[in-house]
């Protein structure tokens, strides 16, 4: 008999933060929505840091990734932990989805399945590059460059045909350790922001619009961005659900980040399947929808072990 049906995963900073600032309170609130919704389904639930050495992960039926936002800074440790616990319990979303989604090369997979993504070029690990030549060959005047495995705008830079030479040394040093991606700068990031549509069990639940602060292009709230409620069009909903359906296996939850690209077509910026902020505070019933999907999974696992 398992001690828990679900452990909701966080990281050390957010397990029991001493500094209850607005950001930390927001993290705790979002996680609490999920914990409460799961408990309302009659499930035995606990919330733990993924890196807590005292936890026996075999004691839970499932673990649900929520606010594990330090994994890309501790990737070797996280990867070892992920491989180990995947043999002890069920990961939501699965290890296969996580490894696929960790690396932004997945955008090429989506394109190959007919899902329009922002135009993307890759600089593979170990390569040397002269950025001004690279952009000139592609006829790109303004670009974003960032690691293929990253988050929270880590090592994300906006370049143009004049300033890109200033980043050659930095990027070439980083390329010895990891691959990078280059995308033409998307003007609608500044004009209208980025849309995030949330999909649970393959179906749309709610959406937000993220807007960068004046003079910036990064929409994340830890870079001064603002999150607003948003009612998507039917076209946007269908596009989000199509993107999720194109995954190698259907994720239980997903956040589909999209814009209208420079050709004015809906395009995927990112498909967030690991630990996305799901903005339950904008639509609390989505936490209940997620709990429904997870409860069904837990019940199916229990029925197989009877």
């Amino acid at each position: 008999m398992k001690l828990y049906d679900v452990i909701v995963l966080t990281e050390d900073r957010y397990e029991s933060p001493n500094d209850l600032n607005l950001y930390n309170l927001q993290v705790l609130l979002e996680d609490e929505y999920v914990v409460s919704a799961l408990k309302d389904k009659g499930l035995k639930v606990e919330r733990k840091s993924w890196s807590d050495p005292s936890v026996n992960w075999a004691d839970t039926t499932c673990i649900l990734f929520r606010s594990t936002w330090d994994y890309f800074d501790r990737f070797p440790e996280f990867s070892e932990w992920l491989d180990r616990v995947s043999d002890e319990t069920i990961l939501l979303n699965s290890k296969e989805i996580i490894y696929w989604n960790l690396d932004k090369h997945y955008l090429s997979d989506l394109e190959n399945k007919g899902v329009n993504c922002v135009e993307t070029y890759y600089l593979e690990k170990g390569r040397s590059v002269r950025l001004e030549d690279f952009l000139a060959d592609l006829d790109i005047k303004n670009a974003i460059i960032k690691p293929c495995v990253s988050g929270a705008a880590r090592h994300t830079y906006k370049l143009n045909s004049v300033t890109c030479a200033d980043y050659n040394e930095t990027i070439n040093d980083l390329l010895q350790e990891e691959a990078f991606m280059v995308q033409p700068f998307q003007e609608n990031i500044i004009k209208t922001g980025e849309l995030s549509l949330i999909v649970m069990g393959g179906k749309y639940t709610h959406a937000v619009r993220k807007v960068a602060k004046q003079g910036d292009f990064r929409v994340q709230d830890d870079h001064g961005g603002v999150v607003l409620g948003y009612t998507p069009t039917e076209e946007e909903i269908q596009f989000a659900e199509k993107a999720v359906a194109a995954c190698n296996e259907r994720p239980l939850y997903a956040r589909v980040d999209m814009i209208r690209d420079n050709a004015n077509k809906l395009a995927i910026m990112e498909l967030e399947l690991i630990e996305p902020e799901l903005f339950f505070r904008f639509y609390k019933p989505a936490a209940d929808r997620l709990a429904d999907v997870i409860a069904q999974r837990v019940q199916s696992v229990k029925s197989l072990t009877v």
Side-chain angles (χ1 to χ4, degrees):
M1 196 72 175
K2 302 278 189 178
L3 287 177
Y4 307 108
D5 295 310
V6 185
I7 289 180
V8 175
L9 294 177
T10 186
E11 58 163 282
D12 294 346
R13 288 178 297 177
Y14 304 127
E15 188 168 15
S16 299
N18 294 320
D19 181 13
L20 293 179
N21 56 43
L22 181 61
Y23 185 83
N24 288 344
L25 286 170
Q26 185 170 285
V27 172
L28 294 174
L29 175 65
E30 291 280 324
D31 282 0
E32 181 55 32
Y33 281 149
V34 178
V35 171
S36 294
L38 290 167
K39 287 181 176 178
D40 287 346
K41 301 297 177 187
L43 299 177
K44 296 175 289 183
V45 185
E46 189 57 85
R47 180 176 179 269
K48 295 286 187 181
S49 171
W50 69 269
S51 55
D52 185 339
S54 69
V55 178
N56 179 2
W57 301 103
D59 283 339
T60 184
T61 301
C62 303
I63 57 176
L64 173 67
F65 291 81
R66 288 308 321 124
S67 46
T68 56
W69 296 331
D70 61 345
Y71 77 89
F72 42 80
D73 293 322
R74 304 168 64 180
F75 186 69
E77 179 186 358
F78 176 79
S79 182
E80 184 278 329
W81 173 85
L82 191 67
D83 289 339
R84 175 168 50 83
V85 300
S86 65
D87 292 330
E88 300 174 0
T89 186
I90 295 171
L91 279 57
L92 307 175
N93 286 314
S94 73
K95 182 178 77 168
E96 290 73 25
I97 288 178
I98 289 171
Y99 274 127
W100 179 72
N101 191 231
L102 272 171
D103 191 321
K104 299 300 189 298
H105 284 84
Y106 73 78
L107 293 171
S108 294
D109 294 339
L110 292 177
E111 282 279 3
N112 291 336
K113 292 183 177 182
V115 178
N116 188 47
C117 298
V118 170
E119 185 181 351
T120 303
Y121 303 92
Y122 297 98
L123 295 169
E124 302 301 344
K125 178 181 176 181
R127 176 173 175 174
S128 295
V129 65
R130 193 168 181 263
L131 289 170
E132 54 267 48
D133 294 340
F134 186 78
L135 295 188
D137 289 344
L138 296 170
D139 195 26
I140 298 175
K141 293 184 171 53
N142 297 286
I144 296 294
I145 186 168
K146 57 185 176 181
C148 289
V149 178
S150 188
R154 180 180 72 89
H155 289 312
T156 298
Y157 306 108
K158 184 181 179 183
L159 316 173
N160 62 47
S161 55
V162 175
T163 64
C164 61
D166 298 335
Y167 293 89
N168 276 327
E169 182 176 357
T170 297
I171 296 301
N172 278 292
D173 285 346
L174 291 168
L175 278 170
Q176 303 317 300
E177 303 296 329
E178 57 186 325
F180 271 70
M181 56 193 289
V182 178
Q183 297 173 324
F185 184 73
Q186 302 299 308
E187 298 299 331
N188 278 325
I189 285 288
I190 301 298
K191 294 176 182 177
T192 59
E194 178 181 274
L195 302 181
S196 289
L197 274 66
I198 315 304
V199 177
M200 305 288 190
K203 297 296 183 182
Y204 161 81
T205 59
H206 64 295
V208 298
R209 184 166 68 94
K210 295 176 286 185
V211 182
K213 72 177 182 181
Q214 187 70 30
D216 206 334
F217 64 92
R218 296 168 297 183
V219 297
Q220 294 88 350
D221 53 8
D222 45 347
H223 291 287
V226 176
V227 181
L228 306 169
Y230 180 75
T231 302
T233 65
E234 187 60 33
E235 179 192 15
E236 290 162 350
I237 292 172
Q238 290 181 9
F239 183 71
E241 292 181 351
K242 176 183 177 181
V244 173
C247 297
N248 292 338
E249 63 178 85
R250 191 176 78 176
L252 265 67
Y253 56 88
R255 194 184 81 212
V256 184
D257 293 341
M258 67 175 76
I259 60 165
R260 287 205 173 268
D261 63 18
N262 292 338
N264 204 36
K265 296 180 180 178
L266 285 176
I268 299 296
M269 287 286 285
E270 292 186 305
L271 199 59
E272 298 281 5
L273 307 178
I274 303 172
E275 34 54 78
E277 185 174 6
L278 295 175
F279 302 107
F280 295 117
R281 62 191 181 276
F282 285 87
Y283 186 67
K284 192 171 179 292
D288 299 320
R289 168 63 178 158
L290 179 59
D292 283 336
V293 174
I294 292 172
Q296 292 169 17
R297 176 65 65 88
V298 170
Q299 187 57 44
S300 66
V301 171
K302 286 184 175 180
S303 65
L304 291 174
T305 59
V306 172

